[in-house]
C-alpha cells in the first residue's frame, strides 16, 4: 500500500535523539582520520561540509570537561561578575560560615567588604559557626559589631560563646547558652547558600516566558500569516478537508509559534462547536524517518480512539443497567433491546482489544502505515498533521512519507487529513516528486524576517510578563532588538539575548538589567555558538584549525595555506591521523571560513601571483580549549617544539 514498504531500522529508532544530539559530532567523521586505510569521509568531501550533523548515531561520550573549562574562562572574562555590591549581606546573619562559604564563594556574592576579621574569627566562621554579622562592620578588627542581632552572645564553631558587647573578643568570656546554641544551629539549618540567593529581589517575574518552549498568546507582526492560516483551516470546522499548507521562513521568524497558536485556536473552537477536528504536531528534526512519523501518528490516534471507546463503553454500561430495570430507558436510542446494547459493548471491547500500539522499531513500514490508516479512520474527523522542520524529514528519508500521507484522502472513508509543513529551507521542495510538491504546496505562507522595530515590539510584549516592573533600563530592549535584527531578524535570538542579559544581571545581583548586560549576553551567546560549531567539526577540520591556532600563538599572523599545511602534516603524524592533500586542506580552510571561524582573504602578491591569507576570527584560548577536548587532539603533547622546528626550517 505504501510507496516504501521497507522497514526502516534507523539507528535512531530508539527515540532518544533530540536537537542537542543533532549537534554532536559524528563518529563517522572521526573515522576519517584513522590511518588504517579505511575510506575517509573527509577525503570523499562529505565531512566538514556539515558542521551540525543531524541525528546520526552520536558519540555519547562527548567530552564535557573542556566545555567546563571554557565556562570557567567565560567567568574569568567578566561574564559572571563575582562580587556583590557593598551591603548586600545585611540579611545574611549567620550564613557566612555556612558550609565553609566565607565571603569568597563562587555563587556570585562576595563579602570581601567585611573580611576584616581576625584569624580566629575566620576559623570560627569556617567551622559552621553562628557568626552573626550585620554586614556594616567593615572597619573594625573585631569579629562582630556588638549589634548582635539576637541580643545575646554569639557562638564559635567550638561551642565557645563570645561576648562582643565590648567590641573585643576573648575566649575567656565563655558563657555558653546551650539553648541558644541549639536554636542558632536550627537557624543555620534553615538558611544556606540558596536562601541567600533567593533572598535577593529577583529581576524576573516569570523567566519561563522568555524560553523557546513558551507559546505566547500574542504574536505581534504575524497577524497576516495567522489570518491566512485560519482562513485555510476554517474548512476543517465545516467538516471539509483544508488545503495542505507549506510555511516558509528563516529561523526564528515565528513559524512554529504561529502555527501552534492557530492549532490551539482550531482545537478549542472545534470543541466549542463539537466538530471533530484534531491537530497532531510532529517535529521532524527528531522524528525523521517514515517509520517513526507513522508510528508516532498511529500511537497518538490509537490513544485517542481508546479514550473515545472507554467513554462510549461507560455510557453503554450505564444505559444497559438502566434498561435492565426499565425498558423505557432505551426509548430514543438506536437500541431496540438490552441485547443490542450488549452486542455494541462486545463490538467496542473487541475494537479496543485489537488496537495494538506500534513499537518504535521492528515492524515492516507497510504494517505501520495500515495501523495508522485504521486508527485515523476509526471515526469521522478532520485531522491536521503539522510537520515541523519538514525539510529534515525529506533530507533524511526522502519524500515517501509525504507521498503516502498526501494520497491517503482518496482511501479514507470516515476521516480526512490535511498536512501543514513548516520549513526554513526554501529549496527543499526541489527534491520532492512533482506530485508531492504540487499536493503539499496547495497553499504557501511566507514568514519574512523581523526588522528591529518589530523585534522591539515582540520583546516589549514578553518583557512585560517576564520581568519585574522597571527592571530594564530603557536601552536594553532596543539593543537586544538591534543585535537580533543583524542576525537575520531572529526573534529567538532576541529573546535569548534578553533572557541571558537578565540572568547575568541577576547573577551579579544588580538591581537593573543594563546595556552592559546585553553586550555581555551577546558575547556569551556568540561564544557558545563558536564552541558548539568547533566542537562538532570533523576531526580533520579540527586539525587544520589547530594548525592555524598554533601559528597564531607563535606570532605568525595572516598565514598562508602552505604554512598551515606544514603544521597540519606534523600534527597528523603526531596523532597518527590520515594526511589529506594540500588541495583538500585548502577546501577545509574554505569551509572554516564559511562557518566564520577563520577569515581567509585572497591577496595579490604582484608577480608572485596570489595567495590566501588566513587569520582566526574566534577567541583563540576558548577555541583551543574546545579542540583539545577532542580525545584525538588531546593526545598532542607539547606542540611548542615542533612549531618552532617549523620556523627553523
Ligand atoms: N511575533 C512574535 N511574537 C512573540 N514571540 C515570537 C514571535 N515570533 C517568534 N516569537 C518567539 O521567537 C521564538 C522562535 O519562534 P519560532 O520557534 O516560532 O520560530 P521558527 O520560525 O519556527 O524558527 P525555526 O525555523 O528555527 O524553528 C519563540 O520563542 C517564539 O515564541
Amino acid at each position: 500500500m505504501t510507496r516504501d514498504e521497507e522497514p526502516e531500522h534507523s539507528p535512531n529508532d530508539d527515540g532518544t535523539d533530540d536537537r542537542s544530539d543533532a549537534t554532536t559530532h559524528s563518529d563517522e567523521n572521526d573515522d576519517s582520520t584513522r590511518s588504517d586505510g579505511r575510506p575517509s569521509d573527509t577525503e570523499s568531501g562529505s565531512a566538514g561540509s556539515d558542521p551540525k550533523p543531524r541525528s546520526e548515531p552520536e558519540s555519547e561520550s562527548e567530552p564535557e570537561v573542556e566545555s567546563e573549562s571554557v565556562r570557567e574562562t567565560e567567568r574569568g572574562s567578566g561574564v559572571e561578575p563575582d562580587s556583590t555590591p557593598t551591603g548586600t549581606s545585611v540579611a545574611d546573619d549567620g550564613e557566612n560560615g555556612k558550609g565553609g562559604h566565607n565571603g569568597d564563594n563562587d555563587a556570585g556574592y562576595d563579602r570581601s567588604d567585611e573580611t576584616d576579621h581576625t584569624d580566629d574569627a575566620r576559623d570560627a566562621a569556617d567551622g559552621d559557626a553562628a557568626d552573626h554579622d550585620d554586614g556594616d562592620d567593615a572597619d573594625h578588627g573585631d569579629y562582630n559589631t556588638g549589634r548582635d542581632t539576637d541580643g545575646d552572645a554569639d557562638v564559635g564553631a567550638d561551642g565557645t560563646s563570645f561576648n562582643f558587647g565590648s567590641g573585643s573578643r576573648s575566649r575567656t568570656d565563655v558563657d555558653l547558652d546551650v539553648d541558644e546554641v541549639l536554636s542558632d544551629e536550627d537557624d543555620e539549618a534553615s538558611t544556606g547558600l540558596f536562601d541567600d540567593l533567593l533572598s535577593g529581589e529577583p529581576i524576573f517575574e516569570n523567566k519561563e516566558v522568555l524560553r523557546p518552549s513558551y507559546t505566547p498568546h500574542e504574536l505581534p507582526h504575524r497577524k497576516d500569516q495567522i489570518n491566512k492560516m485560519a482562513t485555510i483551516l476554517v474548512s476543517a470546522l465545516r467538516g471539509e478537508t483544508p488545503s495542505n499548507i507549506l510555511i516558509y521562513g528563516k529561523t526564528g521568524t515565528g513559524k512554529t509559534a504561529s502555527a501552534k497558536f492557530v492549532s490551539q485556536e482550531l482545537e478549542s473552537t472545534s470543541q466549542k462547536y463539537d466538530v471533530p477536528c484534531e491537530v497532531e504536531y510532529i517535529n521532524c528534526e527528531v522524528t525523521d524517518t517514515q517509520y517513526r512519523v507513522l508510528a508516532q501518528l498511529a500511537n497518538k490516534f490509537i490513544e485517542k480512539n481508546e479514550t473515545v471507546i472507554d467513554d462510549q463503553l461507560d455510557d453503554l454500561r450505564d444505559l444497559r443497567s438502566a434498561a435492565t430495570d426499565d425498558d423505557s430507558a432505551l426509548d430514543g436510542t438506536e437500541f431496540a433491546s438490552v441485547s443490542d446494547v450488549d452486542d455494541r459493548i462486545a463490538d467496542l471491547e473487541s475494537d479496543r482489544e485489537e488496537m495494538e500500539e506500534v513499537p518504535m522499531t521492528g515492524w515492516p513500514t507497510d504494517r505501520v502505515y495500515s495501523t495508522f490508516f485504521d486508527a485515523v479512520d476509526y471515526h469521522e474527523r478532520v485531522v491536521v498533521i503539522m510537520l515541523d522542520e519538514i525539510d529534515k524529514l525529506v533530507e533524511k528519508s526522502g519524500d515517501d512519507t509525504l507521498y503516502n500521507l498526501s494520497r491517503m484522502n482518496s482511501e479514507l472513508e470516515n476521516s480526512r487529513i490535511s498536512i501543514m509543513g513548516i520549513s526554513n529551507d526554501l529549496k527543499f521542495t526541489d527534491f520532492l516528486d512533482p506530485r508531492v510538491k504540487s499536493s503539499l504546496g496547495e497553499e504557501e505562507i511566507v514568514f519574512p524576517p523581523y526588522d528591529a522595530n518589530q523585534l522591539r515590539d515582540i520583546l516589549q510584549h514578553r518583557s512585560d510578563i517576564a520581568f519585574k516592573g522597571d527592571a530594564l533600563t530603557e536601552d536594553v530592549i532596543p539593543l537586544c532588538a538591534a543585535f537580533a535584527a543583524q542576525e537575520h531578524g531572529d526573534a529567538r535570538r532576541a529573546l535569548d539575548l534578553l533572557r541571558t542579559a537578565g540572568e547575568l544581571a541577576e547573577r551579579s545581583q544588580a538591581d537593573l538589567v543594563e546595556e552592559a548586560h546585553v553586550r555581555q549576553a551577546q558575547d556569551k551567546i556568540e561564544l557558545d555558538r563558536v564552541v558548539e560549531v568547533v566542537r562538532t567539526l570533523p576531526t580533520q577540520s579540527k586539525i587544520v584549525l589547530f594548525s592555524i591556532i598554533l601559528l597564531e600563538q607563535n606570532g605568525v599572523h595572516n598565514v598562508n595555506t602552505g604554512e598551515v599545511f606544514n603544521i597540519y602534516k606534523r600534527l597528523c603524524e603526531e596523532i597518527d591521523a590520515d594526511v589529506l592533500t594540500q588541495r583538500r586542506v585548502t577546501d577545509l580552510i574554505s569551509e572554516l571560513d564559511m562557518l566564520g571561524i577563520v577569515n581567509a582573504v585572497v591577496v595579490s602578491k604582484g608577480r608572485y601571483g596570489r595567495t590566501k591569507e588566513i587569520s582566526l576570527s574566534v577567541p583563540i584560548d576558548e577555541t583551543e580549549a574546545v579542540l583539545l577536548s577532542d580525545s584525538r587532539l588531546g593526545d598532542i603533547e607539547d606542540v611548542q617544539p615542533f612549531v618552532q622546528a617549523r620556523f627553523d626550517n
Side-chain angles (χ1 to χ4, degrees), residues 192-387:
L193 178 67
F194 290 103
D195 298 284
D196 186 37
L197 288 167
L198 278 174
S199 68
E201 188 69 7
I203 280 177
F204 289 106
E205 184 77 52
N206 181 0
K207 200 197 304 185
E208 293 310 303
V209 304
L210 295 176
R211 293 198 183 278
S213 52
Y214 175 79
T215 306
H217 304 295
E218 274 181 276
L219 290 154
H221 304 292
R222 284 299 172 240
K223 206 167 149 212
D224 290 350
Q225 289 78 4
I226 287 174
N227 282 343
K228 187 160 182 201
M229 270 189 257
T231 315
I232 299 164
L233 293 175
V234 71
S235 43
L237 297 171
R238 300 193 185 108
E240 298 157 8
T241 319
S243 302
N244 295 328
I245 309 175
L246 265 187
I247 294 174
Y248 294 110
K250 288 198 170 169
T251 187
T253 49
K255 302 181 296 294
T256 308
S258 304
K260 284 193 168 174
F261 173 78
V262 173
S263 315
Q264 281 165 6
E265 290 285 309
L266 182 67
E267 286 196 309
S268 64
T269 316
S270 85
Q271 278 159 15
K272 190 160 122 196
Y273 294 106
D274 204 15
V275 189
C277 173
E278 290 159 24
V279 184
E280 288 305 337
Y281 173 88
I282 291 194
N283 182 347
C284 301
E285 183 159 31
V286 179
T287 309
D288 58 2
T289 64
Q290 168 160 239
Y291 186 105
R292 299 180 78 193
V293 169
L294 295 178
Q296 191 171 322
L297 286 172
N299 290 339
K300 281 185 177 172
F301 285 109
I302 287 171
E303 199 183 314
K304 288 184 172 177
N305 293 343
E306 284 174 346
T307 312
V308 170
I309 292 176
D310 289 345
D311 289 348
Q312 286 179 355
L313 282 172
D314 286 347
D315 291 348
L316 286 170
R317 286 180 187 127
D318 288 348
L319 179 66
R320 191 190 182 286
S321 65
T324 314
D325 296 341
D326 178 4
D327 269 3
S328 64
L330 295 176
D331 291 351
T333 70
E334 58 186 294
F335 305 104
S337 66
V338 172
S339 82
D340 285 352
V341 179
D342 286 337
D343 290 347
R344 183 84 185 109
I345 289 176
D347 286 348
L348 285 174
E349 283 173 343
S350 107
D351 283 354
R352 202 183 188 297
E353 212 137 275
E354 277 170 23
M355 287 183 183
E356 188 184 355
E357 255 204 21
V358 182
M360 284 323 271
T361 52
W363 282 12
T365 306
D366 196 33
R367 183 173 171 201
V368 184
Y369 176 83
S370 63
T371 306
F372 160 60
F373 186 97
D374 292 344
V376 81
D377 208 28
Y378 185 72
H379 65 81
E380 195 182 317
R381 61 184 144 199
V382 177
V383 172
V384 179
I385 297 174
M386 209 200 284
L387 297 172

Side-chain angles (χ1 to χ4, degrees), residues 94-102 105 125-129 188 191-193:
E95 285 182 23
N96 254 1
K98 183 76 180 171
H101 286 269
N102 59 349
N105 63 59
D126 285 346
D128 205 9
E188 287 273 325
T191 58
L193 178 67

Side-chain angles (χ1 to χ4, degrees), residues 394-463:
V394 175
E395 193 184 310
K396 173 83 191 278
S397 20
D399 60 3
D400 292 336
T401 321
L402 303 179
Y403 180 85
N404 290 324
L405 288 176
S406 62
R407 272 171 27 122
M408 273 178 73
N409 280 338
S410 58
E411 292 163 19
L412 289 166
E413 283 179 10
N414 302 316
S415 59
R416 289 282 173 271
I417 67 165
S418 161
I419 303 168
M420 192 195 285
I422 303 176
S423 170
N424 50 27
D425 177 359
L426 304 181
K427 294 218 170 120
F428 93 95
T429 52
D430 294 353
F431 304 100
L432 297 179
D433 177 309
R435 285 167 299 177
V436 179
K437 186 173 173 175
S438 72
S439 152
L440 206 61
E442 286 169 340
E443 297 280 356
E444 295 190 345
I445 304 177
V446 176
F447 280 61
Y450 295 112
D451 64 27
N453 288 335
Q454 293 173 328
L455 288 171
R456 209 185 280 202
D457 289 343
I458 291 170
L459 291 178
Q460 192 62 55
H461 267 79
R462 293 280 191 104
S463 69

